[in-house]
Amino acid sequence: MNGRTSAPSWRRRRLDPDRPRGLRSSLATVAALTALPFAGLTALVVAAGSSLHAVDERITDAAHAYALDSPGWVRAMSLWTDVFAPNPLRLAALLLVVWLLHRNARRTAGWVALTMVVGGTLGPLLKLLVTRDRPDLLDPVSSATGYAFPSGHALNAALAAGVLLVVFLPKTRGRPGRRAALWVAAMAVAGVTGFSRIALGVHWTSDVVAGWLLGAAVVTATLAAFALWRDGDGQHPGNRPQPGNGQQPEGRQQPGDGQQPGDGSTATG
């Protein structure tokens, strides 16, 4: 043994919550990598005569033809799309924020609230800017109002999936079965919710893909912002408890608890 310590790996430098500069850089990179395809997809949707429109129409026609012959399928997709609609997901996020505040995880609660609000605001604004019409089908199996791009269901489901992973993945360390189940649940919420909008003929496929991309970009961007907020010991100066007041520092992990973003740990998957 020569007494030298090995240099941290690239993964540790980039994803370790105790190295906020590297973590922030990684999150910002992921946000950019998801925002750029979203911007490109938006440009194709806006452009007249884009081949994307023909692809969307073929997929929608095929999904609609299957739905007309499969009433049970339509009922299942309708139930799923109602359970995981934006408003129920926002209510679930609000309950999560209350639970996190009860556990004194104020910054994590703030991150959840900010993520849902930012994503929930961007979606309607972009709909008004793009003004894309929804599919106009003969004998529709479902209906929806408002503009199509991006899909609000897909966007909010992606936000909810990101929140689920970031908040609860740290609690699954050393428990690979629970970690795998959490990933499956998050992917199902985002994936099936978006797919249900195509299956019911109320969104084009590109609307749904755009919602997923925008949701991923918002989650990673807000995570990067909260990594920037942290200082060296994981405490924001305004939240650091004063000595002698008996308050448990928010960044200290209680026995059996998973740490949260900005509280000393961030899920890396």
Side-chain angles (χ1 to χ4, degrees):
M1 300 292 293
N2 56 14
R4 295 181 179 177
T5 58
S6 59
S9 67
W10 180 91
R11 182 179 183 276
R12 180 175 177 81
R13 293 195 307 271
R14 288 295 182 179
L15 300 178
D16 188 351
D18 293 326
R19 300 172 183 269
R21 180 177 297 178
L23 176 62
R24 184 172 64 247
S25 175
S26 297
L27 292 170
T29 300
V30 174
L33 290 176
T34 50
L36 287 175
F38 173 80
L41 189 58
T42 303
L44 289 174
V45 167
V46 172
S50 168
S51 59
L52 176 67
H53 298 289
V55 173
D56 275 338
E57 289 174 0
R58 285 197 295 269
I59 296 174
T60 296
D61 289 344
H64 184 57
Y66 182 81
L68 289 175
D69 294 333
S70 309
W73 171 254
V74 173
R75 286 193 296 270
M77 290 291 97
S78 298
L79 177 61
W80 185 284
T81 206
D82 289 340
V83 170
F84 295 99
N87 284 336
L89 292 178
R90 289 165 186 155
L91 177 59
L94 177 60
L95 295 176
L96 177 60
V97 167
V98 173
W99 178 75
L100 290 168
L101 289 173
H102 178 71
R103 295 174 67 87
N104 200 32
R106 295 185 302 276
R107 283 190 303 283
T108 307
W111 173 77
V112 172
L114 177 67
T115 299
M116 297 302 293
V117 168
V118 169
T121 302
L122 284 176
L125 287 177
L126 287 165
K127 285 177 181 286
L128 292 175
L129 289 173
V130 177
T131 63
R132 188 187 199 187
D133 292 329
R134 294 177 184 269
D136 185 14
L137 301 170
L138 294 175
D139 195 15
V141 299
S142 185
S143 63
T145 59
Y147 292 118
F149 185 92
S151 165
H153 278 69
L155 167 59
N156 283 274
L159 296 174
V163 165
L164 186 69
L165 290 172
V166 170
V167 172
F168 292 106
L169 266 183
K171 299 178 183 297
T172 65
R173 285 174 180 160
R175 299 172 179 176
R178 292 188 181 183
R179 175 165 289 222
L182 187 62
W183 272 103
V184 170
M187 295 302 101
V189 168
V192 179
T193 302
F195 177 76
S196 71
R197 308 305 285 167
I198 302 170
L200 294 172
V202 293
H203 270 295
W204 306 105
T205 301
S206 53
D207 301 336
V208 171
V209 174
W212 287 333
L213 289 172
L214 182 59
V218 169
V219 168
T220 50
T222 53
L223 274 176
F226 269 67
L228 177 64
W229 190 25
R230 296 183 59 204
D231 63 7
D233 63 358
Q235 287 283 349
H236 185 273
N239 290 336
R240 190 178 288 121
Q242 298 300 318
N245 65 1
Q247 182 182 1
Q248 177 70 23
E250 183 183 347
R252 302 296 182 260
Q253 185 180 15
Q254 297 297 324
D257 290 349
Q259 293 175 312
Q260 309 302 335
D263 298 335
S265 179
T266 300
T268 62

